[in-house]
Every structure is written in structure tokens, then in C-alpha cells.
Amino acid sequence: MGIKFIGVKEAANVYTVGKDFCLEHAGKAVLRVTALGLYKAEINGKKVGDAYLTPGWTCYHKMLQVQEYDVTDLLQKGENNISFTVAEGWYKGRLVYADKMNIYGDKTAVWAQLIVDGKTVVVTDESFVAKESYIRYSSLYDGEVQDFTAPVKDLTVCEIPFDTSVFVPQICEPVRDIERIAVKEMLRTPKGELVCDFGQNIAGVAEVSTPEGFEGTITLQFAEILVDGNFYTDNLRTAKATDTFVVRGKKTLCPEFTCHGFRYVKITGGELSAECVTAIVRHTDMKRTGTVNTSDAMVNRLLENVVWGQRDNFVDIPTDCPQRDERLGWTGDLNAFCGTASYNYDVRLILKKWLADLRNEQAEDGKISHIAPDVIGYHDTASLWCDAIVMVPWKLYEMYGDVSFLSDNYEAMRKYIAARESNCENGLMAKGFEYGDWLALDKEQCLCESGNYFGGTDVYFISNAFYAHCLDIVAKSAAILGKTEEAEAAHRRYERLLQSIRGEYFTPAGRLAIGTVTAQALALCFGLAEEKHRERLAKELNENVLRHGCRMTTGFIGTAYLLFALSDGGYHETAGKLLLNREYPGWLHEVEMGATTIWEKWNSLLPDGTPNPEGMNSYNHYAYGSVMEWVYRRVAGIQYASPGFRRVKIMPNAIRTLDSVHAEFESVNGKIVAGYEKHGNSIRYFAEIPEGVDAEVCLPGEQTVPVGHGKFVCEREISPE
Ligand code: BGC
């Protein structure tokens, strides 16, 4: 049977195509489905599977996922019905800032095959009948309109040609409804609006139930914050984030094809009680692998905010934010957050899929798109952002020990390095677009001049630092993959670049000529400073941070490296102060201001509680959540000594004013526990190593000791300050 993509001739935002069919006997049944757009499949009136936003977001013309469901239990002997409701989603719907539509195509369509006992019994073709759906409209940014009262018109089925050679099976865990959250407080705002507070900023939808006898239109609007107690949506920019339900009678209502980023829901059209409204957390169903608990409730809240930031932004692809008219797979955000993400959750599959898109979007000349899947068309060598093609596979290889992250991406890495080389002059990066230390506060104008978000660190210093780091990774990757000559060539280029960087950015006496915190942190973390000058540089960095009152001034780049640079340079206590500082700007300042996720900018909310007037204020951006990787690795001390934690280094390092830290991480080689607890004048370090893993323990100021598997406890006197 010829399986076709089918859509409708008429212009319809959402529609349903369906068919009755007869089965002589009901046997083992499998349904294979995909769509140009989003689909919901139903058999005999029941939703097939429990996934949402299927078939997911990929660069559809290169890779389109096909889902496979066991539908044995949904079918019966005799008469059956199968239907598919199709919405625009990422394929055709509104995406990116303004009104960019039809990015992948101007017609949505569905493709399906029902196989019973190995025999294809139904395929999508012109024998299906089409009609409008009770879902009148759906958009990822704008929300959904469901009308259960208006009649639905018939539509005309037609074939939509599409190349099926790009089909691939589902790669990662599906997006599911993961958790239900009850209303924490029902509010009447100063403006008199009825608003539910769920107490947590999430990605998902709200479900509402109308009472018996209800007749009317319920509208739900979604927001992340209240300003002066009032419902506030300016930071969503053009995203309408509104669900509308036209209903008669008692009904439970929930949108199908959309997702919102919210803590607050404004209800109009009915005086619903708190019991009638539930928030549903909707995201990719990854397995949780890491937790950290400390003696400080504020720190715990911060770490919870980081985890929520990950949940809210791992919705089929890793996004920058879940709420405004953006929600894109920004490469720099993920690159900064990847370490934290891979401790918290098993992100292998979602990032394998995302990396496939990143490769698919790579330009001929090796340049990398700023987002994946790409819908804006920028390709470059921008540090941190475009470097994701090198750094993310390497990080995943280190975390999971799976060499396929290197082999799958090596060719793309190599081409990317050539692109970086083409932006060099006299051996140093000197051209190409850079985001700099994005959103850093160390450039005066950044606080007041709209659009100047690049921070105070010379962008080409950053670029050279990242190029060196990438070359080092490519050299190591080539060696692991047995490409000896390429490994040697990349290593030689790395060495030459290092010399050029030292010639350009360090004084002859070895002092770093750029005085920003970010420059100093990068020079330490990427090994740019000569060994003999590292101590002085670490000291300068420490003084620099102290001069800033241990407040955060760094952007996406500096923030990911600063605490590591301090801890490894002998200033762990200062790193601890940056973490624990409650004043603006800093992590705990956000917590003190009531944040339940990580903000995009340190000043997304000004200290007086009003949104930053510059705009671009997301209250759910995970980049600064990079701090949690440092907590796992440098405070609790769960550190890989070989890829995939086959060998581990346990190096807990206490912060004076933080009494205990307990971290657990389910590595691919078993569960690792580490941390410390203070009791009076003594401190107890502990660890748990799974069988089959070699471990070494390194306590502050002591020699590294090899240990076997099992539980370890070491007690030490706390030295006076
Ligand atoms: C996004 C960022 C992203 C940046 C790139 C913003 O609009 O939200 O997180 O990395 O653009 O400049």
C-alpha cells in the first residue's frame, strides 16, 4: 500500500483526518506515525501513547522522526476508527521574534501506517475524511483555542508530497506530562484579576474543569512574575500565551499542542475555585541522575531552581527559555549548561538528537548555526555558541564514556576548526561575529544602553581562548579515534596558537594584559597562562573578585568558568563567597527575590522588584545554572578521572560557612556519593563508590589516596581561619 502524507486543501490551522475500518481479528498492532507539524493520534476515541509535541522538532527536511506505538489494546475485532489531529507546531507555526511563519513548509500533513499481526491494514491516503477539529487554533507561542460548541465543517483531504528518505526512528525520550501541581494560592490582584499562583515557574500547561451547568468561554493567560502584585506579561514579548475554551457543561480541559512557561495563570470567564485548576509540567522525560543537598535552605532552593531551569527548557530540544517568542535551541546556553545538565539528568538521547541537528545545520564552510534546529540562518564561529559542536560532544564523552559522541561529531568538529582558522589573521582569531561574555555586567553601558550585552572582556581574547580550547579537544578526540596525524596536526596548531596568545595578550613578564574577571578565569581554566605565572594570575583573579565585593559581574562565559578557576587556583573560599553572596548581583540574591528558576540576566528583576527596563527579561534561562556543575565537582567532589566515571576522583572541599553538602550521582558505572558534614571542630568527609569503579580520594591539602569500592568516611580537625 502506498502510504502518503495527507493534509487538507483548505487553509486550516488545526484539522482532523480519520477513517473507519474493520478488523477480522484484533492481534498485535503497531502504529507508525509522523507529521509535518504536530499530531495527536486516536484509535476508537482514545489518545495513542502519552507523548506530546510529536514528532518533535528536528530540521525536518534532513531528519524527521517517526514514532512507533503498540496499539494492540486500543483495537477491537470488527469496527474501528483511527484519526489524527494535526497542528502547525514548529513546522509551519509562528516562530522567532516577529511573524516568521511556514519556516519548513506551508502545508501541514500526517503520515501513518497501522500494522496488525505484521500486515499493514491502514495507511494514510485519500480514503481518509477530513474535518475541522474542536481545536480551532494552536500555536506554540500563542496558545490554543478549543471550541466544543461550534459545528465542525468538512474539509478536503489531499496528498502533500514529502521525501520519506529523511525518516528516522524516535531518538530521545518523548515529551510527557511529568507532574501535576495544585494551586498554591488563589489571588485577586490589585487590578481585580483572578490569578492562580502555582508557586513554581514551570514549562507546561494548565488543566481546568468547568462545573455542571457551565456555559461560556474560559480564558487562561500565562505569566512568570507579578509586578506590584499584578499579572505581568511584557517579558513574553509577542507571545500571547493564552488558552481559550468555549464550553457547555462539565468538562476537563487541557491544550494539546502548546506549552507555556509560567508560574501564574490569569483566569477570565468564570469564577473557578482552586480545585478546578492544575498546572501540568510538560517536558522531555529524562531520567534524573543527580541530586545535591546542603545545610543551607537558600542554596538548596538555588539548586532546585537550576534543576527546574533544566526541566523547563529540555522540551524536546534544549531551549534558551520556555516563555517568550523565542524558545530556541541556542547553542551557547546549552554549551554553558551542559556539564550541570548531564549531572542532573541523563541527557544522552536528547543531546544526541540535538547534535544531529547541529551537524545537519552546519554550513558548507564549516561554520555553525547559533541555534539548532536553525530558524534564523546565522552561521559563524562565535565563541561558546558555535563551539558547542566541539565542546558538547567532548563533555558528553567525558560524562558518559560513550565514544560515539566523538565519532558522530568528529567530522563536523574538524570542519568547524577549519572555519575558525579562516577567521584568523597572523595566527590569531581576528574576525567573525562574537557574543562576547554575553550579559556580563562589567561594561558600564551594559546596565543602561539597550542592546549592549557583550560585556567588558575583549571579544577576540575570548575567541582565541575558546579556539585554543577547541583545538585541544579536537586533538584529543582525533587521538581517541585513532586519527594520529590529525591529532598531531591539531596539537601543533594548538601549541602555536598558545604561543601567539601569550605573545599578544600577556606582557613579556607574563602578566595578563586584560584585567577582567572573565579573561583571568579563562586564562586559568584553558591553560593560557604559563605554568610559572599561574599562581600570580590566580591571586590577581581573587583580588579582582574581592574588589567587586564577591558579587557576580560575569556573563554566560565567565560565569561558567570563574568558580572553577578560583577553586583550582587555591581560592576556593572566595568561590564559596560568590555562591553564598545574597546581595545583588548574585545567585542567592535571585533566590532572596523569590526566584524559582534561574534568570537570564543578573538584573532581570531590579533590586526594587521591577523588571529591567532594557527588556529581554526571561526568568527561566539556565545558563547561569552552570554553577551547579561546580557544586557537584568541586564542593561535593564527584569528579571523573576517566570518561564515564570508570575511574573517579573524590575531592570534597568544604566551604567554611556551608555546614554540609551531600551529592549523589548515578553514573553509567553506578551510583557515586560524596560530600562533607561539619560537627563542632571537626569535619567528616564521606564517599560511596560503586563496585567495578576505581577511585582515588583527595582531601584538601592532602596527598591523593587510591581506594577500592564501598563506603568511606574520613574525619579531620577544622583548621582555624
Ligand atoms: C537568547 C539567549 C541567546 C542569545 C544569543 C537571546 O535572545 O535568549 O539566551 O544565547 O539570544 O545572543
Side-chain angles (χ1 to χ4, degrees):
M1 288 193 205
I3 318 173
K4 295 175 177 171
F5 271 97
I6 54 167
V8 294
K9 283 209 173 113
E10 296 81 359
N13 177 277
V14 184
Y15 57 85
T16 300
V17 290
K19 179 177 178 159
D20 295 327
F21 61 99
C22 193
L23 282 183
E24 276 166 26
H25 63 272
K28 169 110 185 109
V30 173
L31 178 67
R32 300 177 67 220
V33 203
T34 190
L36 311 178
L38 300 175
Y39 72 83
K40 171 170 121 171
E42 284 168 290
I43 290 180
N44 298 325
K46 289 217 171 80
K47 178 172 160 110
V48 173
D50 55 1
Y52 286 90
L53 306 181
T54 48
W57 191 5
T58 51
C59 38
Y60 297 113
H61 293 281
K62 302 216 169 117
M63 187 169 87
L64 177 59
Q65 294 186 116
V66 179
Q67 284 76 39
E68 217 173 277
Y69 306 92
D70 182 341
V71 293
T72 311
D73 293 343
L74 294 176
L75 289 165
Q76 60 199 22
K77 183 168 180 283
E79 283 302 311
N80 288 276
N81 175 273
I82 189 163
S83 70
F84 303 96
T85 303
V86 183
E88 296 186 339
W90 296 287
Y91 186 86
K92 176 179 185 322
R94 190 163 86 84
L95 272 185
V96 196
Y97 321 130
D99 280 336
K100 222 168 168 185
M101 303 280 297
N102 301 345
I103 290 180
Y104 296 96
D106 59 3
K107 281 284 179 193
T108 58
V110 61
W111 179 104
Q113 176 185 28
L114 176 65
I115 304 157
V116 180
D117 284 337
K119 217 175 116 218
T120 298
V121 295
V122 177
V123 296
T124 41
D125 59 17
E126 283 95 342
S127 68
F128 272 64
V129 289
K131 55 183 176 23
E132 290 174 342
S133 164
Y134 69 93
I135 304 177
R136 294 284 147 166
Y137 176 85
S138 197
S139 149
L140 288 160
Y141 291 169
D142 298 327
E144 197 157 301
V145 179
Q146 300 185 356
D147 186 345
F148 296 90
T149 62
V152 290
K153 286 196 211 114
D154 289 338
L155 299 169
T156 328
V157 164
C158 64
E159 183 185 356
I160 307 290
F162 193 83
D163 177 10
T164 56
S165 71
V166 298
F167 279 7
V168 293
Q170 169 82 16
I171 300 169
C172 64
E173 301 88 345
V175 172
R176 291 200 172 102
D177 284 353
I178 305 286
E179 187 181 335
R180 297 172 69 85
I181 303 180
V183 172
K184 195 171 160 220
E185 202 183 345
M186 212 65 175
L187 306 166
R188 188 59 75 176
T189 65
K191 279 192 186 160
E193 294 170 332
L194 182 65
V195 171
C196 314
D197 175 6
F198 289 97
Q200 175 60 51
N201 202 10
I202 67 162
V205 292
E207 182 189 272
V208 287
S209 305
T210 49
E212 211 75 66
F214 179 88
E215 186 162 352
T217 301
I218 298 274
T219 303
L220 308 180
Q221 234 188 310
F222 298 81
E224 289 188 293
I225 56 165
L226 302 179
V227 175
D228 296 331
N230 283 314
F231 194 73
Y232 177 88
T233 56
D234 285 6
N235 68 316
L236 308 191
R237 298 197 298 224
T238 68
K240 294 193 186 77
T242 302
D243 294 337
T244 306
F245 304 98
V246 186
V247 219
R248 210 172 283 142
K250 187 175 158 72
K251 215 166 176 61
T252 299
L253 308 155
C254 192
E256 178 72 28
F257 297 115
T258 193
C259 201
H260 309 290
F262 67 100
R263 168 174 169 171
Y264 300 95
V265 179
K266 181 171 99 183
I267 305 177
T268 39
E271 283 298 309
L272 299 183
S273 62
E275 298 71 52
C276 296
V277 195
T278 307
I280 300 177
V281 179
R282 199 173 263 188
H283 59 73
T284 295
D285 195 2
M286 308 159 287
K287 181 181 159 217
R288 183 81 189 259
T289 49
T291 54
V292 183
N293 258 297
T294 77
S295 51
D296 184 324
M298 295 272 286
V299 174
N300 291 344
R301 182 64 240 193
L302 168 72
L303 300 177
E304 242 182 85
N305 293 1
V306 175
V307 172
W308 272 108
Q310 176 165 2
R311 299 178 66 182
D312 299 342
N313 282 297
F314 275 55
V315 181
D316 200 57
I317 62 153
T319 58
D320 56 337
C321 59
Q323 75 297 82
R324 69 182 178 216
D325 53 0
E326 201 155 359
R327 315 183 199 182
L328 305 173
W330 281 100
T331 47
D333 305 46
L334 193 264
N335 197 4
F337 188 64
C338 185
T340 294
S342 48
Y343 270 98
N344 285 337
Y345 282 90
D346 185 343
V347 294
R348 281 177 288 181
L349 297 178
I350 187 170
L351 295 185
K352 182 184 162 78
K353 167 171 168 286
W354 184 76
L355 283 167
D357 277 323
L358 194 58
R359 291 196 301 273
N360 278 328
E361 302 288 15
Q362 186 169 28
E364 269 305 297
D365 61 3
K367 289 184 179 150
I368 287 289
S369 56
H370 295 195
I371 62 174
D374 182 29
V375 288
I376 54 175
Y378 303 153
H379 289 82
D380 254 304
T381 56
S383 302
L384 187 75
W385 275 256
C386 304
D387 297 331
I389 192 62
V390 175
M391 294 169 66
V392 171
W394 180 254
K395 176 60 84 180
L396 296 173
Y397 167 67
E398 285 186 314
M399 289 297 291
Y400 300 109
D402 180 350
V403 86
S404 74
F405 282 112
L406 302 183
S407 51
D408 288 352
N409 295 293
Y410 178 75
E411 207 35 46
M413 293 182 183
R414 213 182 47 79
K415 277 172 72 180
Y416 175 65
I417 289 303
R420 262 202 173 271
E421 199 56 43
S422 73
N423 275 337
C424 284
E425 273 168 13
N426 302 320
L428 281 165
M429 291 296 305
K431 286 186 290 188
F433 176 79
E434 295 287 342
Y435 287 106
D437 190 15
W438 185 247
L439 304 183
L441 299 179
D442 57 355
K443 188 166 190 169
E444 274 301 289
Q445 302 95 303
C446 195
L447 288 166
C448 50
E449 203 178 276
S450 183
N452 191 349
Y453 294 137
F454 300 87
T457 306
D458 181 295
V459 298
Y460 288 114
F461 169 77
I462 292 177
S463 188
N464 280 297
F466 274 84
Y467 185 25
H469 186 55
C470 286
L471 279 168
D472 186 34
I473 291 174
V474 169
K476 288 194 260 194
S477 303
I480 291 163
L481 297 173
K483 299 173 188 294
T484 317
E485 273 174 35
E486 290 177 22
E488 282 166 5
H491 186 71
R492 278 197 303 276
R493 178 65 186 104
Y494 166 76
E495 289 290 344
R496 277 204 319 278
L497 180 60
L498 203 55
Q499 292 320 313
S500 306
I501 290 173
R502 287 174 181 165
E504 180 79 10
Y505 296 106
F506 288 81
T507 66
R511 186 182 289 271
L512 181 59
I514 300 180
T516 64
V517 164
T518 292
Q520 292 166 337
L522 287 183
L524 286 163
C525 288
F526 290 167
L528 306 181
E530 272 183 71
E531 197 53 47
K532 59 179 188 237
H533 300 309
R534 287 179 63 85
E535 207 179 308
R536 180 176 66 188
L537 182 56
K539 186 162 169 279
E540 282 173 359
L541 171 63
N542 183 53
E543 283 162 3
N544 207 350
V545 171
L546 295 179
R547 238 191 342 270
H548 286 103
C550 289
R551 300 185 192 188
M552 294 304 294
T553 54
T554 47
F556 278 25
I557 287 183
T559 302
Y561 295 96
L562 172 58
L563 274 58
F564 282 98
L566 286 166
S567 292
D568 297 351
Y571 298 94
H572 187 64
E573 221 24 64
T574 304
K577 284 185 183 146
L578 284 169
L579 171 73
L580 296 173
N581 161 45
R582 296 179 181 210
E583 318 255 296
Y584 166 79
W587 285 287
L588 293 193
H589 166 74
E590 294 184 9
V591 175
E592 204 135 79
M593 299 283 289
T596 62
T597 37
I598 302 289
W599 301 343
E600 177 172 24
K601 302 187 214 154
W602 296 115
N603 52 12
S604 285
L605 214 54
L606 298 182
D608 67 3
T610 57
N612 186 328
E614 272 183 29
M616 204 176 80
N617 297 313
S618 150
Y619 298 95
N620 206 350
H621 253 62
Y622 52 48
Y624 293 152
S626 56
V627 65
M628 195 164 176
E629 181 183 7
W630 172 81
V631 177
Y632 277 112
R633 290 173 61 187
R634 293 296 189 270
V635 186
I638 300 180
Q639 169 70 45
Y640 41 79
S642 75
F645 293 80
R646 194 35 215 89
R647 284 193 295 114
V648 299
K649 187 162 186 171
I650 301 294
M651 39 184 284
N653 200 349
I655 298 168
R656 265 180 207 281
T657 48
L658 188 60
D659 285 345
S660 76
V661 172
H662 178 113
E664 300 197 357
F665 172 60
E666 189 71 52
S667 80
V668 290
N669 281 299
K671 185 164 114 182
I672 301 158
V673 179
Y676 69 85
E677 270 164 19
K678 288 183 188 168
H679 298 278
N681 273 343
S682 70
I683 182 163
R684 180 184 301 149
Y685 298 101
F686 54 84
E688 210 178 301
I689 314 294
E691 232 180 282
V693 166
D694 297 326
E696 47 189 26
V697 173
C698 180
L699 299 183
E702 298 185 19
Q703 295 284 349
T704 299
V705 204
V707 295
H709 65 89
K711 289 191 176 176
F712 302 92
V713 178
C714 308
E715 195 108 16
R716 296 285 185 273
E717 288 270 294
I718 298 177
S719 56
E721 272 184 71

